[in-house]
Amino acid sequence: MSNDSQTQSLAFGLLWPELNDGLHYTDVVPPSELTLIEFYSSMYKNSAPLQGWLQRIQNGQISVDGRVVQDPNAILSVGSELVYHRLPWKEPDAPHVLEVLYEDDDMIALNKPSGLQVLPGGLFQQRTVLRQLYWRVRKQNSSLASQESHPVPVHRLGRGTSGILLCAKTKVAKTCLAAYFSDGTSLVGANRKAKRSGTRKISKIYRALVTGILGEDKVVINQPIGIVRYPGVAKGLYVASPSGKPALSKVEVLERDGQQNRTLVQVEIESGRPHQIRIHLSFMGHPLLGDPLYIAGGQPRRFDSEFVDESYAQDGGYQRPTNPVPGDCGYYLHAHQLVLSHPTKNEMIKITAPLPSILKTRDELNSSRESISISSAN
């Protein structure tokens, strides 16, 4: 088995620009009689309220067949091309440095810091892992046609989650690695009892710090995860739900801290539902320490699902939700170890991401201090 220790540790990352590049959204007018404002306020009401779309049109941010149109009541012709230009904005602060844990011709494993989003979404369109990967390839070889050659993540980590993020560098590796993740999830859904660990091509182990003291040393959680309507999350929020899709997590207690009423745990997930660990641990009554969203029961802290804030920001879009949303940080969750079958070589790869101090056991902390003392003496 190959280990990440064989790969020399290195880091990369460019500073984020003050403003991003903005965005362009293209649509084709469907066969119906609509005005410009009717089209956008009905098709994209999750992006902005009516007054916000009026503001965007009057600002000259929308063109029809290449011509800027500022009349909200302009009648649209079927088949016309509409382009909405979202103006550049300053994205929230985010880390920019990524550590390389393992790399070969097929894939690269990164140590993602907490606070950095993996893929574009919401307020984060440029300050993402994907953009840093793109810049890295462009810097290494400016003659490349870029887009086709730069690595892409084959799974996601929540913005507040740190640790191993696996990315593919070739189409073959992308197909293979993506299949590993989806196969694990489908195996859990198809037949939990019949599933054997030998059929898995990938194993994912996390560290987490949870509130309260877990009584049992080992717990298996198979609570299904579904989606509910939730303000500020256009596609809905993932929660513990009897009618949801199957999910399986194995939890093992590493250390109990009665004085601070918290428990350090190791979690192996055998499916890949969004926010699975946060939901499962909160479902069993032990939410992640500092989690701003999920509480006991695997539900959100606030659930004003019918409330929508109609005020809008400077760019015409809705204000940031006052309710907690999945991207909010503050919890302690780290993708610590990954063992997988290499996508093109006949070997197993083990990758380990160094643990943050708060997620180490007392023995691990003492070992770290002893190593530092020995190094200093030498």
Side-chain angles (χ1 to χ4, degrees), residues 23-151:
L23 290 171
H24 288 82
Y25 300 89
T26 302
D27 289 283
V28 175
V29 179
S32 57
E33 291 188 8
L34 291 171
T35 64
L36 190 59
I37 186 61
E38 286 172 342
F39 176 85
Y40 279 104
S41 62
S42 61
M43 291 285 292
Y44 298 106
K45 51 186 163 186
N46 285 329
S47 171
L50 176 65
Q51 291 300 317
W53 279 114
L54 283 171
Q55 175 180 304
R56 290 169 172 178
I57 293 169
Q58 291 161 357
N59 280 349
Q61 292 174 242
I62 295 172
S63 64
V64 181
D65 293 329
R67 183 176 61 87
V68 172
V69 175
Q70 293 176 282
D71 178 9
N73 296 313
I75 304 295
L76 300 176
S77 301
V78 175
S80 288
E81 182 182 76
L82 303 178
V83 178
Y84 157 56
H85 177 211
R86 184 175 179 184
L87 300 176
W89 72 93
K90 181 178 180 180
E91 299 182 16
D93 292 338
H96 68 279
V97 176
L98 289 155
E99 179 188 1
V100 178
L101 299 171
Y102 176 92
E103 183 171 19
D104 59 25
D105 292 339
D106 297 293
M107 62 185 189
I108 178 172
L110 305 173
N111 188 9
K112 185 189 85 68
S114 173
L116 179 60
Q117 189 152 306
V118 174
L119 300 177
L123 292 175
F124 294 92
Q125 293 295 324
Q126 191 170 56
R127 298 186 179 191
T128 64
V129 172
L130 190 66
R131 182 55 65 101
Q132 287 291 353
L133 286 169
Y134 170 74
W135 284 341
R136 180 178 186 248
V137 169
R138 190 176 64 179
K139 184 178 179 181
Q140 288 174 335
N141 189 344
S142 59
S143 67
L144 290 175
S146 70
Q147 298 279 4
E148 292 186 9
S149 57
H150 92 270

